[in-house]
Amino acid sequence: MEDITLHIGTRRVKTIYSVIASSNRLEILRILNTKGPLSYSELKTLAGFKSKKESGKFAYHLRKLVRQMLINLSRSERKYSVTSLGRLILNLTRQIEEQSVIESGKLFVRTSRQTMEEFNVDKITQSLVKEAGMPVELAQKITSEVESRLYKFQTTYLTSPLIREIVNSVLIEHGYDEYRHRLTRLGLPVYDVNELIAKIGSSGDGIDSLLSQTFEAVLSEFLFLNQLPKDVSDLHLSGDIHISNSGRWGLVPDTLFIDLTHLKNSGLHLAGSLFPIPRISPPKDLADATTAFTTLASLMASESSAEICCRGFNGYVASSIGNLSDEEALRTLKQGFILSSLSLPRKKTSPFVSIQIGGTLDKEFDCDQKSLDRSTRLILEAYKEYSSITPLPKLKLILNDNIIGKNELADNLLSIVNVGGAISLCQNDSFYSYLGLRGDSIDSQSFNGVILHGLSLNLARMAHESIGDETYLRAKLALLLRSSKNALVARKKIVAETIKKGLMPALASNSAIVSAENVKLVVNLTALPEAINSISGERSSLSNYLSTSEKILDTANKVASEKEEQVTVAMIPEYGTERLAVLDTEKYGKSAVGPQVKHGYSQSINIKIDNVKDDLLRKAELFSSKLNGGCSVRLQLSKQSSADDILNVINKLKGEINSYTITRDMYICRNCGSKTSSPISRCKICKSATIQQSPFL
């Protein structure tokens, strides 16, 4: 009996070997193993049997594989898939191929395409000429040296990354850094990927954040090695400047100013017809309007990195409500806010959406003042409800201070901030982004375009190096500002080319909503208050502080406006200030940097609303007037702050500071998402100890 079984098994093995002896059948197995279940026609095309004359031949090979149970046909799905026996055969085949390579005594390369090829030294020369732009004669010389080193290795096969490492090593030894940069392989070490997975898993950001941070890490390397001038890259790496969102900085704009009148009148379109996104017609009612807005927010968030400012939202809603009752309109608006928030990327450093309530653009819509007033009330109520159930709102409000009566405005501000809403105030008919960027053009007309920023100068380091010498600090500021300005001008061209290549279809197709032709360049000043304190002396008089500030800011404005391409200067929150503080701590010591080591340098003027000091207001007024790109001013509420306190400050700032945010420290349970304005060690709802203070952005 045992002999009969052995005979049957031997015959079965011979039959299987005869089946896979055909290169066509082996290729069919490999395709199914790689691509997964495929239909008859899909598999036939991928296997190269494209003509009708070859149909019989393909069917013959397929029957052979099915009969030997190497592939299986699902009758219900009508698709073929590889069996476990088929996978075993493929693994054995690959091992045999690799062993044959070893026995041959030749040198082979395991390529990034997952194939084994005989080593061809000419490919190194071709790569040096094509990828690095090296002259042929020099490329042949480098190749010869690399070849001699590779043959000294006691290995049977090489890998593409290993060959590239040896080439780069030879280039470094000969001082060819420029060529090495062009050849550098971009990617993450295995350890870094594992660390990233663990970090994102504990933060709760989700798989989308892991994928985006992984590809942004690669694009960040690409930016510093290939896109930026070497001197700018060196300034960033050393800590003299910081480039925020470096993975997206060399591809997409930071902040977009959007005109919602065109969304209302013309809808939303994408170039071409192959995008899996419906074309949005002009909205006819509030449900249509919220759908169009949600789609717009989602598309623009993928083509920006900081903020999407939507102007005219009040008129957009008022002109769409129609005969809806307050209850129906409120429910639709709240649902729209929730869906818009869900459509945005979850990563904390991803762009958010700010919506303007009030302002001159509302008058462009076909609605009367009564409709606008009703819309204002409903939007504020819907936003309050949205904020109360959202741990970290990705939607922010920008209110003009003349939309409703001052008392009612103060009450609304307090109630929204108390539930964790994010809100800023603009005086009169001015318009600023939530970050504090100016929303008008040079001729004071409404700005409808993109702002490139995300580049911050480290003024704290300049102050450390100047040792109290104001002239030295201003000279250093001028030098860094010119380099930064050149980087932004170069970036403007890069972004324009990215749009032309079709990588930003939403921006390219909707120029009436947001024009990519209208571009403003902004350089950010980080640690400006710390630098002025260092130069003027922390105990100096207010007049001395203001005088020093004025000289520094005048220098910045003068250098920024040089030549044809004008740049403005601002002081707004940008990611990365903590990094600059850490680098300065390593260079100058913890005592020199102070408490900023933990939280990062200043990028806003912070005013406690129940203790408004005149000297701090004077400083804020000067900064706001001199920083022509924008200035972030934050009014911080305490637990005891009332609507009267807010009203008093609004009246006090009238005509002095055009834009400011009103904030309150919130404490969020990472387990259940509940929020409170009181510092707690354990959640009152779920008893979890995972409490996090909400960030400003």
Side-chain angles (χ1 to χ4, degrees), residues 80-138:
Y80 292 89
S81 60
V82 66
T83 65
S84 56
L85 178 61
R87 291 192 186 91
L88 176 61
I89 294 299
L90 284 174
N91 288 334
L92 290 172
T93 303
R94 185 168 58 252
Q95 290 177 29
I96 292 170
E97 288 174 346
E98 291 188 5
Q99 188 62 35
S100 67
V101 167
I102 294 172
E103 297 294 336
S104 70
K106 297 178 181 179
L107 201 58
F108 283 76
V109 179
R110 180 174 282 174
T111 70
S112 57
R113 300 184 302 278
Q114 299 181 0
T115 61
M116 190 74 80
E117 299 176 1
E118 188 173 350
F119 175 58
N120 182 354
V121 71
D122 290 337
K123 289 188 176 182
I124 297 178
T125 305
Q126 293 169 9
S127 178
L128 288 168
V129 173
K130 182 179 178 180
E131 296 179 37
M134 183 179 285
V136 175
E137 186 176 342
L138 179 58

Side-chain angles (χ1 to χ4, degrees), residues 418-465:
N418 278 343
V419 295
I423 198 162
S424 71
L425 207 63
C426 292
Q427 298 212 39
N428 302 320
D429 286 325
S430 62
F431 181 59
Y432 287 73
S433 77
Y434 183 81
L435 289 174
L437 291 164
R438 286 186 62 171
D440 58 5
S441 54
I442 296 174
D443 57 3
S444 297
Q445 297 297 312
S446 296
F447 181 70
N448 172 32
V450 305
I451 298 185
L452 305 181
H453 51 95
L455 192 157
S456 301
L457 305 188
N458 185 356
L459 271 75
R461 175 167 293 194
M462 297 181 207
H464 284 304
E465 293 178 350

Side-chain angles (χ1 to χ4, degrees), residues 410-521:
D411 288 337
N412 276 287
L413 289 172
L414 183 62
S415 64
I416 289 173
V417 173
N418 278 343
V419 295
I423 198 162
S424 71
L425 207 63
C426 292
Q427 298 212 39
N428 302 320
D429 286 325
S430 62
F431 181 59
Y432 287 73
S433 77
Y434 183 81
L435 289 174
L437 291 164
R438 286 186 62 171
D440 58 5
S441 54
I442 296 174
D443 57 3
S444 297
Q445 297 297 312
S446 296
F447 181 70
N448 172 32
V450 305
I451 298 185
L452 305 181
H453 51 95
L455 192 157
S456 301
L457 305 188
N458 185 356
L459 271 75
R461 175 167 293 194
M462 297 181 207
H464 284 304
E465 293 178 350
S466 66
I467 317 176
D469 187 339
E470 175 204 304
T471 304
Y472 178 90
L473 184 145
R474 290 195 286 122
K476 180 72 173 179
L477 172 61
L479 287 173
L480 285 182
L481 197 50
R482 289 188 180 102
S483 295
S484 301
K485 182 177 177 178
N486 291 336
L488 285 171
V489 171
R491 183 191 180 193
K492 180 180 177 181
K493 296 177 182 177
I494 293 171
V495 170
E497 284 298 315
T498 305
I499 294 173
K500 287 180 181 178
K501 291 175 181 177
L503 293 176
M504 287 185 270
L507 273 176
S509 308
N510 296 278
S511 58
I513 293 176
V514 52
S515 173
E517 300 294 323
N518 295 334
V519 181
K520 290 172 67 174
L521 308 178

